[in-house]
Amino acid sequence: MKPRGTSSVTIALAQLPVVKGAVAENLETHLTYIQQAATRGADVVVFPELSLTGYELELLEQLAMPKDSEVFSTLYDAAAANNIVVIAGCPLVSEGRKPQIGAVICFPNGERAFYAKQYLHEGEEVYCSTGNASYLFTVNGTRIALAICADFANPVHSEAAAAQQADVYIASALISEAGYEADAQLLAAMAKHHQFPVLLANHISNTGGWQTCGKSGGWNADGELAITAGGTEACIVICAINGGALDASLVTNLAIEDSCPVG
């Protein structure tokens, strides 16, 4: 069994409505969720795959963002103002190649990083190129590995995270109701096999022709579903990781303002 550390980190999973191709509007929604996550004590807030644009493959080339995009500057400012790490989904410009399905990682100290999806779903290769490097970062002594959707379906990806001694594995994804059961089984098995919590940030909107199912949440190191949003409400799922264990969580429904424990 993997030894437990003594570090503690609180991770917010943002389950938010997304408008097709409306970057400015989606960015404003992100800023609201960032502030709400920080208010609830989160150290990190994670958004779903392509959260800034929606999962619109045919628009990727048009919407792809350079690394000096003003959109990212706004997110960096929000990370600093709220003292929180922000991970948002975005299409990235890849010089000389098709755009990449990526994530921008904004740290409150001004540091910035990017991750590009390494393993594509069938059909995505028509519109996208792949990334070639894993991404792992540390917050409060906790090592966090990042995945984007189909990454977690390839065992090589989680094996690499385990080899890098990740304490937590987070997947930003687009999962439909029809696909949820199989993907949940994969994520649960991964958590149990590698003995680390696995978290999922999923869409709730109809995007890219898919009606997504929400159910953002997390599995503990025993492979048990420890926290879930339960459906497609707009909310933030707060996951507390203590000593490498997912042991305290809650869901905040943004329309209600109240927080309630969820098992």
Side-chain angles (χ1 to χ4, degrees):
M1 180 178 290
K2 181 180 175 180
R4 298 294 184 197
T6 58
S7 59
S8 176
V9 65
T10 299
I11 300 172
L13 308 173
Q15 187 166 286
L16 74 170
V18 172
V19 180
K20 177 179 179 177
V23 175
E25 184 175 346
N26 292 331
L27 178 59
E28 286 301 316
T29 306
H30 279 61
L31 297 178
T32 298
Y33 274 68
I34 291 166
Q35 184 179 42
Q36 292 293 329
T39 298
R40 288 158 175 79
D43 301 297
V44 182
V45 58
V46 186
F47 292 87
E49 180 180 23
L50 292 174
S51 58
L52 285 165
T53 61
Y55 182 82
E56 305 296 340
L57 296 181
E58 294 180 356
L59 298 179
L60 282 194
E61 188 170 356
Q62 172 187 334
L63 296 174
M65 302 172 187
K67 292 183 178 179
D68 61 355
S69 169
E70 285 299 316
V71 173
F72 300 151
S73 296
T74 301
L75 291 174
Y76 298 142
D77 290 344
N82 292 281
N83 193 32
I84 190 171
V85 180
V86 175
I87 303 173
C90 54
L92 293 172
V93 170
S94 180
E95 296 299 333
R97 305 171 67 206
K98 297 172 186 176
Q100 296 172 320
I101 296 176
V104 58
I105 302 95
C106 309
F107 295 87
N109 65 357
E111 181 184 346
R112 57 194 67 181
F114 297 89
Y115 171 70
K117 186 175 184 177
Q118 295 175 267
Y119 301 97
L120 301 179
H121 281 295
E122 184 179 356
E124 288 181 341
E125 73 281 353
V126 175
Y127 305 95
C128 311
S129 59
T130 58
N132 57 15
S134 297
Y135 184 73
L136 186 144
F137 63 105
T138 301
V139 178
N140 297 348
T142 301
R143 295 170 62 81
I144 301 169
L146 183 61
I148 299 178
C149 210
D151 281 338
F152 72 74
N154 191 317
V156 173
H157 194 271
S158 58
E159 292 286 351
Q164 292 176 297
Q165 298 185 314
D167 299 302
V168 185
Y169 185 98
I170 304 176
S172 296
L174 180 152
I175 299 175
S176 67
E177 186 66 50
Y180 177 80
E181 184 175 351
D183 284 343
Q185 290 177 359
L186 279 176
L187 294 166
M190 179 195 307
K192 186 173 184 178
H193 178 68
H194 294 299
Q195 289 289 288
F196 51 41
V198 172
L199 308 182
L200 169 68
N202 191 26
H203 281 276
I204 57 176
S205 300
N206 188 318
T207 182
W210 297 94
Q211 180 54 59
T212 58
C213 68
K215 299 182 183 179
S216 300
W219 291 261
N220 62 27
D222 293 323
E224 301 165 337
L225 184 62
I227 174 70
T228 177
T232 56
E233 66 274 16
C235 66
I236 296 175
V237 182
I238 303 291
C239 303
I241 312 292
N242 293 308
L246 175 57
D247 65 357
S249 308
L250 58 85
V251 172
T252 297
N253 185 322
L254 294 188
I256 297 175
E257 289 289 328
D258 291 331
S259 301
C260 56
V262 178

